[in-house]
Amino acid sequence: MAERVLVIGGGGREHALAWKLAQSPHVQQVLVAPGNAGTANCGKISNSEVSVTNHSILAQYCKDHNVALVVVGPEVPLAAGIVDDLTAAGVLCFGPTARAAQLEASKSFSKSFMDRHSIPTARWSSFTDSQEACNFIQGAEFPALVVKASGLAAGKGVIVAGNKDEACQAVRDIMKVSHLLCSSTAFKCCTVSVSDILSQLLFLSWCSYWNMTFIVSMQVSEEMLQLIKTMVLQKTIDGMREEGAPYIGVLYAGLMITKLGPKVLEFNCRFGDPECQVLMPLLKSDLYEVLQNTLQGKLASRPPVWQEKSAAVTVVMASGGRPHYATKSMHIYVFHAGTTLKEGKVVTSGGRVLTVTAVHSHLNSALQLANQGVGAIAFSGAVYRRDIGHRAISFLTCSRALTYKDSGVDIAAGNKLVDMIKPVAKATSRPGCSAELGGFAGLFDLKAAGFTDPILVSGTDGVGTKLKIAQACDCHSTIGQDLVAMCVNDVLAQGAEPLFFLDYFSCGQLDVTVAASVIEGIAEACCLAGCALLGGETAEMPGMYGPGEYDLAGFCVGAVDRGQLLPRLADIVEGDLLIGIASSGLHSNGFSLVRQVLDRTDLQYSSPAPFGRPGQTVGEVLLTPTKIYSKILLPILQNGSVKAYTHITGGGLLENIPRVLLPELAVDLDASHWRIPAVFSWLQQKGILSEEEMGRTFNCGLGAVLVVGRQDAQQLLREVQAQEDAWIVGSVTCRQPGAEPVVIRNLQYSLQAGTNPCTDTSTNLQALIEQVKKPSSSAEIIVVISNRPGVLGLKRASMAGIQTRVVDHKLYGSRADFDSTIDQVLEEFGVEVICLAGFMRILTAPFVKKWNGKLLNIHPSLLPSFKGVHAQRQALQAGVRLTGCTVHFVAEEVDAGAIIAQEAVPVLANDTEESLSERVKEAEHRVFPAALELVASGAVRLGEDGRIVWSITDTALV
């Protein structure tokens, strides 16, 4: 649906913004307040008389007129907090907050900010007393000849003096004009230097920015622009964010290029005037979309696009009189500034009257067109400059010797990168390779690596459009692990040990810091995989990639002794089992679809993730690195029990598992047998993705699958589970004619359950199962008994390789008969300790007496307080500040047994019964396993008097 947009301001800048916004198909109408003659009833554009100084009235006006976006042109409303007030009222507004706008509104703040964040600027000092300022000027060790009013001064607050006396007079003159000063009547005295001046306009969005490619002086090298990026722009973005005022909007940086490098003259917190009139005709993108992407934090992934091979020139016409336009035809843009309508005619209202902009493929031609346009407009007292653009033309037309660096390739930067990464590559050395960078090729000694009859195995891969997210989030340190993992995990499919790795990093312009971060991540991942980073290639290719973009490719070579080569296709038979090994999430596949799904939502990469761990952002969850399985699986793959290993990569479960099967075989997977991370459930829901699309695109929680004989499955499962989450997820079957090679049952059900309730750790039973997996545990779970068939707890136990029994209470005439059958099962398995985990039936007194001191229960309160049901409700009604949970021995009286362990949980002021219960459950999952260990290890037992007895030795203190 087309939207209504309100532009605040009345100059040529606002006319240009309104003109560009009106071109958007998303925009129904552009209102301009107060506007000028050029914005009065011009197609989609019209003026509004709403007050822009009373923000309450303005907010109500926007709601009454369904204004979807407010775009602020001038600096005064920004400094007055228009963005803050409209945003608080629920009206979307483009521009920095009042706090962020201090970069322009307060020169004292701006200079102090630059000092705090080591942003280069002129030496300065700030004063509120004119005599103190003059004393400083006369005694300063540097030429303090620039005097500025600290506050907003409409372009009239800066005086460049010729000597110290003139500077002192400027101070006295400024003090006489109070409206030029900020509330503290502060002004600054700065050093002055003569050099090239450079201006840059940028869209800023949270952590990223995008240049609008506006340069006043063309004599600026790529190296200098890189210095500006690192020393000024990025430091400004990071500094504002660190100080709690993230900058969102347009930032205009006025810079001086000195012998010591770039120095900031000033910041403006809005589109420049007349710079905006130059830029809008050059913007190819939809301005409405650019502004929305900036506000939503999507600027880095959807940067603005500019007209290629085009130049624009703007000439300002000033003074009074009534404009008259000649009839000569030419393609120019005329943006009104100081004009108004009087009796239906356009008349000037003083100052800047019009700006004339011309666009052409050549700067010289654009300048000629602009001057012709100015010549076609006449009014009394018209004044305009005739030297606009000549300096730039002189620079472009002069003959200069070219260098490779002029073409965009910086050999020195490449050498610097190699020097930076040599130590991290060296750290990946292993038997057979010293990992020394700098040669023409790398060497690997297979004999030194211990191979006798090796077969070499190679794999290559990339990271896909996951790179887009890394670049948008400016997070490059983990993407290297994705690259290594994608290659190494493929090589493992042949049973091969990864030996060495090579990377390929390509970009349009080399950012040494970014490239070093990526390659350091690659080196760290090589260490995790056990392979050496033997070499690589860094390719700087101007014009091939946009600013900030890069691509990656990786190459891994491994080796396997001939007798251990996988897969053993002929050995795989019907009845074999599949062990699924947990992924860390999406890994590195399907991200083009992920980004499309994300576009359907209002989420940004910086938004809190509705999936993942608490506190994680969307970007952090999506960039979770791919797991590397080599060190976990190599010993298992080499022992001969695994018949096949498949890496669940591009193509998901449906495409990858058949790669290790003969055509006559198939597999039957049950998705209720493994944990599906919440990100997959969210993607399926928001993208309305079918089961087949999910299974063919994503790993759905399984990063790798092993095919093993049924007789070996439990032992291998335990070996894998000692280091990684793993489950028996399915079996090999005979493939029927016309049937698919992979069937996934319960996928839709498991996805709809969010984080799969069958295997998440949000139950006490699962917490106990996870505890006893640890090598240090003194306990072993040998049977799980339930009074109801088909419950999730039984599935949890089965997936963990634990035997299960069902004793259905409905089949027994009395509680005593039911308890007697339970007792028989416990005796059958030789049980020594019983944990009641979600078992809600009351046990008979004879049963409790027989198992006295061996029967553990957990209660959701700090006993003896709040016994019985609804413990959290009781705690809230009592108004206590602290509750928690208690593990205790079971006694005949309910919740009265001796206490083994407790964990406290604070009661928050805004707690509900549900929120408090959730936090208590989290505590239960910690304290129940700990209590079991105390009892199983003998550290705690129940004495004959019904009290706890602690056993403490000199080797184990509990």
Side-chain angles (χ1 to χ4, degrees), residues 602-667:
D602 294 328
L603 292 177
Q604 307 165 17
Y605 293 131
S606 58
S607 301
F611 40 78
R613 298 191 304 275
Q616 283 189 301
T617 65
V618 170
E620 288 170 343
V621 177
L622 297 183
L623 290 176
T624 301
T626 308
K627 282 186 178 178
I628 297 174
Y629 296 112
S630 55
K631 287 193 174 179
I632 298 172
L633 292 183
L634 264 177
I636 297 172
L637 297 179
Q638 292 171 349
N639 72 13
S641 298
V642 175
K643 300 180 179 182
Y645 155 99
T646 180
H647 178 202
I648 309 303
T649 180
L653 294 164
L654 297 181
E655 298 286 345
N656 286 288
I657 295 177
R659 296 165 76 175
V660 297
L661 295 176
L662 293 172
E664 60 268 24
L665 295 176
V667 297

Side-chain angles (χ1 to χ4, degrees), residues 550-722:
Y550 60 85
D551 200 2
L552 291 174
F555 312 88
C556 180
V557 173
V560 56
D561 278 325
R562 196 175 303 273
Q564 295 180 323
L565 191 65
L566 292 178
R568 304 201 314 268
L569 296 179
D571 293 345
I572 300 174
V573 297
E574 181 183 7
D576 283 346
L577 298 182
L578 275 66
I579 296 176
I581 304 171
S583 68
S584 59
L586 291 165
H587 281 188
S588 300
N589 300 108
F591 275 87
S592 294
L593 179 56
V594 171
R595 289 164 55 237
Q596 285 293 312
V597 173
L598 199 63
D599 284 345
R600 288 188 171 189
T601 73
D602 294 328
L603 292 177
Q604 307 165 17
Y605 293 131
S606 58
S607 301
F611 40 78
R613 298 191 304 275
Q616 283 189 301
T617 65
V618 170
E620 288 170 343
V621 177
L622 297 183
L623 290 176
T624 301
T626 308
K627 282 186 178 178
I628 297 174
Y629 296 112
S630 55
K631 287 193 174 179
I632 298 172
L633 292 183
L634 264 177
I636 297 172
L637 297 179
Q638 292 171 349
N639 72 13
S641 298
V642 175
K643 300 180 179 182
Y645 155 99
T646 180
H647 178 202
I648 309 303
T649 180
L653 294 164
L654 297 181
E655 298 286 345
N656 286 288
I657 295 177
R659 296 165 76 175
V660 297
L661 295 176
L662 293 172
E664 60 268 24
L665 295 176
V667 297
D668 182 2
L669 300 176
D670 188 341
S672 68
H673 286 187
W674 74 83
R675 175 174 55 83
I676 299 182
V679 64
F680 295 106
S681 302
W682 184 87
L683 286 167
Q684 193 271 336
Q685 178 190 4
K686 296 299 181 182
I688 319 176
L689 305 179
S690 66
E691 284 185 272
E692 182 178 5
E693 196 68 35
M694 292 296 298
R696 201 175 299 280
T697 306
F698 301 115
N699 65 60
C700 296
L702 298 180
V705 172
L706 306 180
V707 182
V708 302
R710 184 175 291 271
Q711 70 280 4
D712 299 317
Q714 289 299 327
Q715 177 60 33
L716 289 172
L717 179 64
R718 284 193 289 270
E719 291 180 21
V720 177
Q721 286 179 335

